[in-house]
């Protein structure tokens, strides 16, 4: 299948339904991608290491973004995601260091491990209501992330999920969460309190912190854990 680039913009064959694996990987001259309306899937590593890519527009028909699709697109600043998107595979936007914001459609039900790892310009994120688990390292290393909205349907937060989110100051965890993985909030040095649901028995390893106000025995409502010291 033939692809080309004209004036920094990717040109696609007519009627294409999937961007194949590594189709434009490491294309240094690529600066903009407008995916045609016939496409339903972005293949694995399709645009990985396109370090001058700044803008991506996906059509409404796209339901899946493959693993590492935009891995290390370090100049990527703007991504328009379709309202019917369902799955964001692992490492999809890993190390997109210039990506300051992204609007995740409510249709999304799967965000895999490290999907936004190292997006160090990302300042806020609203996780869609259909997502039930925040997986390993999903937002780790998002150093400018200040606020996270976790929906009520989330039941688990994976290991290292928000590790090294050094600007994170506020997070509320849904009442359905029963498990929080180790180091989920390690080195979140500005996160001074966390409101957690009654069902979570312990967060000590997730926080790697000294807890100055232990949770009361037999609590029946969400409780705020106050943090004093962080492990580096």
């Amino acid at each position: 299948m033939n692809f080309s680039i004209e004036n920094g913009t990717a040109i696609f064959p007519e009627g294409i339904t999937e961007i194949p694996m590594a189709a434009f990987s490491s294309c240094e001259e690529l600066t903009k991608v407008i995916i045609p309306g016939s496409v339903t899937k972005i293949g694995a590593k399709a645009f990985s290491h396109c370090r001058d890519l700044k803008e991506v527009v996906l059509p409404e028909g796209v339901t899946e973004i493959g693993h590492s699709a935009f891995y290390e697109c370090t100049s990527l600043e703007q991504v328009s995601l379709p309202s019917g998107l369902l799955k964001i595979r692992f490492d999809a936007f890993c190390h997109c260091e210039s990506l300051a914001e992204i609007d995740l459609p409510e249709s999304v039900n799967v965000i895999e491990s490290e999907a936004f790892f190292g997006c160090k310009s990302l300042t806020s994120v609203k996780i869609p209501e259909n997502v039930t688990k925040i997986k390993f390292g999903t937002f780790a290393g998002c150093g400018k992330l200040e606020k996270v909205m976790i929906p009520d349907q989330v039941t688990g937060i994976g290991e290292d999920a928000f590790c090294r989110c050094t600007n994170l100051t506020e997070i509320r965890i849904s009442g359905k969460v029963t498990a929080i993985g180790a180091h989920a909030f390690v080195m979140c040095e500005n996160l001074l309190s966390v409101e957690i649901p009654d069902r979570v028995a312990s967060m000590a390893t997730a926080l790697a912190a000294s807890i100055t106000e232990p949770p009361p025995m037999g609590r029946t409502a969400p409780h705020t854990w106050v943090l004093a010291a962080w492990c580096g």
Side-chain angles (χ1 to χ4, degrees), residues 86-115:
L86 298 175
K87 295 174 174 59
I88 300 174
R89 298 300 187 185
F90 68 90
D91 284 355
F93 294 96
C94 184
H95 291 301
C96 289
E97 298 177 354
S98 299
L99 190 63
E101 59 181 85
I102 190 165
D103 185 11
L104 298 176
E106 286 301 322
S107 57
V108 172
N109 55 33
V110 172
I111 302 175
E112 291 189 346
S113 300
E114 298 186 333

Side-chain angles (χ1 to χ4, degrees), residues 146-183:
E146 297 177 356
K147 184 177 181 180
V148 177
M149 300 175 66
I150 296 180
D152 291 340
Q153 299 307 312
V154 170
T155 59
I157 297 175
E159 296 182 10
D160 296 333
F162 297 95
C163 175
R164 291 187 289 112
C165 290
T166 52
N167 270 13
L168 189 63
T169 59
E170 178 183 352
I171 188 165
R172 287 192 174 188
I173 299 172
S174 96
K176 293 184 179 180
V177 169
T178 59
I180 298 176
H183 314 303

Side-chain angles (χ1 to χ4, degrees), residues 21 80 94 116 138 146 150 163 173 187 230:
M21 180 177 179
S80 298
C94 184
F116 296 95
T138 302
E146 297 177 356
I150 296 180
C163 175
I173 299 172
M187 290 190 285
W230 292 90

Side-chain angles (χ1 to χ4, degrees), residues 114-137:
E114 298 186 333
F116 296 95
F117 180 96
C119 291
K120 60 185 183 181
S121 296
L122 195 65
T123 58
S124 66
V125 64
K126 182 179 183 296
I127 298 169
E129 291 291 335
N130 291 321
V131 172
T132 59
K133 185 172 182 180
I134 300 170
K135 299 188 177 183
F136 169 81

